[in-house]
Amino acid sequence: MSEPLMVLKKPSYPLTQSLLSYLERYERISKVSVFYDDLLRFAGSVNVYDKNETDTLWIRVYYSEFERNEIDLNLKKVYSLLHSDGNSEIIQFLNIDAIDYCTFGNSKPFRIKVRNILNDNYVHFYIKKADASRIYGLELEDILSPDKINFLVFKDTLIEEHIIGIPGDVFMDTLLDNCTEMEKSQIAKEFVKFNERCMIRLLGDMRAYNYVIVPIHDFDQVVYKIRPIDFDQQCYEGNFKVYRPQFFKENYPMIKLIKDKLEERSIIQYKDEERAILAKRIHSAENRIKKLLNIMCHDTISTEEHLNQLKMELYRYTNDMKFKNAKSMGHIMFAAFEFITRNFKNTNLI
């Protein structure tokens, strides 16, 4: 049996003042006082089961009447900040249907279900302990991925919108076999691109339950997109394979799909396409990325051992001395983005 790619649990890293100033500059600071620790003071809980009566490992928590009124109001205000720029008029039409607490994983988030009482539509968002690695991951996702993501920070608390989609493991277990052959080919293509995107921006731990499959109905077909939903393994691990979803055994059905459906030249083409798109995004958001990475260069978001291991593995992978000379994870990210943009500058793609 092969050894697991990740062994130790990742620690949480505090947000520096420089990072907080950056977040304020780009309107990521919450105007509502909401603290993760306040939600931990629940009076009791019950287990949450899915439609098949399987324990989800989430618990539904409840609070004393006095605390619940204050918590509900603040959560409604948070929702209005996330979705309507703080419009207080909508608060009267909102109800906090449920507050669930996750009992596993690194971040142990609270999941908030907010319902509009006028039409019974509802959405979720999450409240977690703010972690610098996750913040960098969320920012890079918002800047570089095909999809935008909304989040807010209040001191040591992170408020993160829910990303809609079918968890990768659920999709592979229940839906993948029923896809048409054309859909399977398209999913294989998307996983190649997803794998390349994670590798270049060093987003780690994309096991099947850390990303979602998003089916989009076009006029004559269903198109599938893949989105990450967990960002706390941004630039932490030293093993380069952790940043390449292809190496997790949980993703084997996707790897088999690629082998069955795509020729080697198609795989190379899709990788080049994704690199070209990333190069364009890096170029168009150059100033913002530089600000973020300059902060990351002076931040500690990993161990010295991981840093040394990763920069040497990347040097051997690319033969680029900038990786070997990197002094921090921020410097590694600079080197990665320069490597991509440099390779496409002479192709008229950026």
Side-chain angles (χ1 to χ4, degrees):
M1 181 180 291
S2 60
E3 293 185 3
L5 295 181
M6 302 165 62
V7 180
L8 299 177
K9 182 179 178 181
K10 175 192 162 294
S12 179
Y13 290 95
L15 278 60
T16 65
Q17 187 55 52
S18 296
L19 182 53
L20 287 169
S21 297
Y22 168 93
L23 294 172
E24 187 170 18
R25 163 70 177 81
Y26 291 100
E27 299 182 342
R28 297 292 199 188
I29 299 296
S30 171
K31 302 178 182 70
V32 178
S33 302
V34 57
F35 291 97
Y36 176 89
D37 288 345
D38 288 343
L39 296 182
L40 287 174
R41 299 201 304 266
F42 49 85
S45 65
V46 294
N47 291 347
V48 177
Y49 297 90
D50 64 17
K51 62 183 180 181
N52 298 317
E53 296 301 317
T54 302
D55 192 346
T56 63
L57 302 182
W58 289 76
I59 58 174
R60 185 147 298 166
V61 300
Y62 56 89
Y63 301 83
S64 66
E65 184 176 351
F66 171 76
E67 286 199 318
R68 180 69 193 232
N69 291 337
E70 182 180 2
I71 287 171
D72 277 15
L73 178 60
N74 281 335
L75 293 177
K76 291 174 186 178
K77 289 179 179 178
V78 166
Y79 170 89
S80 72
L81 275 177
L82 278 176
H83 295 282
S84 62
D85 200 28
N87 179 8
S88 60
E89 293 182 4
I90 69 170
I91 290 176
Q92 60 184 313
F93 305 119
L94 303 177
N95 189 70
I96 306 300
D97 274 12
I99 302 175
D100 297 336
Y101 177 59
C102 182
T103 56
F104 66 96
N106 269 350
S107 59
K108 293 190 175 178
F110 285 92
R111 181 177 61 201
I112 316 301
K113 180 180 179 181
V114 185
R115 178 171 55 89
N116 186 314
I117 62 176
L118 297 179
N119 52 34
D120 278 343
N121 286 332
Y122 65 87
V123 298
H124 293 95
F125 65 87
Y126 298 88
I127 293 183
K128 308 173 181 179
K129 273 286 190 183
D131 168 51
S133 300
R134 182 180 290 273
I135 299 299
Y136 289 121
L138 286 164
E139 267 296 292
L140 289 171
E141 176 71 9
D142 188 62
I143 296 169
L144 297 177
S145 83
D147 305 286
K148 294 297 181 182
I149 186 166
N150 199 6
F151 70 93
L152 295 167
V153 172
F154 184 80
K155 296 186 179 179
D156 65 346
T157 296
L158 171 64
I159 304 149
E160 190 179 320
E161 74 174 358
H162 174 67
I163 298 174
I164 295 174
I166 305 164
D169 53 344
V170 175
F171 183 86
M172 285 185 268
D173 288 343
T174 63
L175 298 172
L176 181 57
D177 287 343
N178 296 324
C179 291
T180 66
E181 296 307 307
M182 184 176 295
E183 288 171 347
K184 289 178 180 178
S185 295
Q186 195 265 328
I187 293 167
K189 168 188 171 182
E190 284 302 311
F191 194 84
V192 169
K193 292 193 166 194
F194 175 68
N195 188 80
E196 198 71 8
R197 195 158 63 243
C198 292
M199 179 188 71
I200 291 168
R201 54 160 292 190
L202 295 179
L203 177 62
D205 194 19
M206 282 299 109
R207 284 174 280 188
Y209 47 78
N210 285 334
Y211 59 84
V212 292
I213 312 295
V214 185
I216 301 171
H217 291 261
D218 202 356
F219 69 95
D220 64 347
Q221 63 178 329
V222 179
V223 177
Y224 295 88
K225 300 295 182 181
I226 303 177
R227 295 188 63 182
I229 58 173
D230 194 331
F231 301 93
D232 73 339
Q233 286 287 345
Q234 177 70 50
C235 299
Y236 173 71
E237 291 286 343
N239 186 346
F240 183 38
K241 288 183 177 180
V242 170
Y243 304 102
R244 305 170 75 184
Q246 69 191 78
F247 288 109
F248 287 100
K249 65 180 186 299
E250 293 88 347
N251 293 329
Y252 176 74
M254 290 295 191
I255 304 307
K256 184 176 185 303
L257 203 62
I258 292 169
K259 290 178 179 178
D260 292 343
K261 294 296 180 182
L262 302 181
E263 296 181 9
E264 184 64 28
R265 60 186 176 181
S266 294
I267 295 173
I268 294 171
Q269 173 197 337
Y270 296 143
K271 287 182 177 182
D272 285 345
E273 287 178 5
E274 192 61 28
R275 291 186 178 207
I277 291 171
L278 276 172
K280 285 183 180 180
R281 292 185 184 130
I282 292 167
H283 183 71
S284 63
E286 185 176 8
N287 289 335
R288 184 167 181 172
I289 289 174
K290 280 185 176 178
K291 288 178 184 176
L292 184 66
L293 296 192
N294 277 327
I295 295 167
M296 191 188 290
C297 284
H298 297 93
D299 203 349
T300 300
I301 54 173
S302 187
T303 66
E304 197 71 24
E305 180 185 2
H306 287 174
L307 171 64
N308 291 331
Q309 179 186 358
L310 182 60
K311 71 181 188 180
M312 292 309 299
E313 289 191 17
L314 285 168
Y315 168 67
R316 288 190 288 269
Y317 185 73
T318 63
N319 291 318
D320 189 333
M321 283 296 295
K322 289 186 177 180
F323 287 109
K324 189 174 183 180
N325 295 331
K327 299 291 193 296
S328 70
M329 286 296 184
H331 288 105
I332 287 180
M333 289 303 306
F334 261 126
F337 290 169
E338 286 178 6
F339 183 83
I340 292 300
T341 55
R342 186 169 63 247
N343 286 343
F344 284 91
K345 269 185 179 176
N346 297 324
T347 62
N348 297 321
L349 289 172
I350 64 171

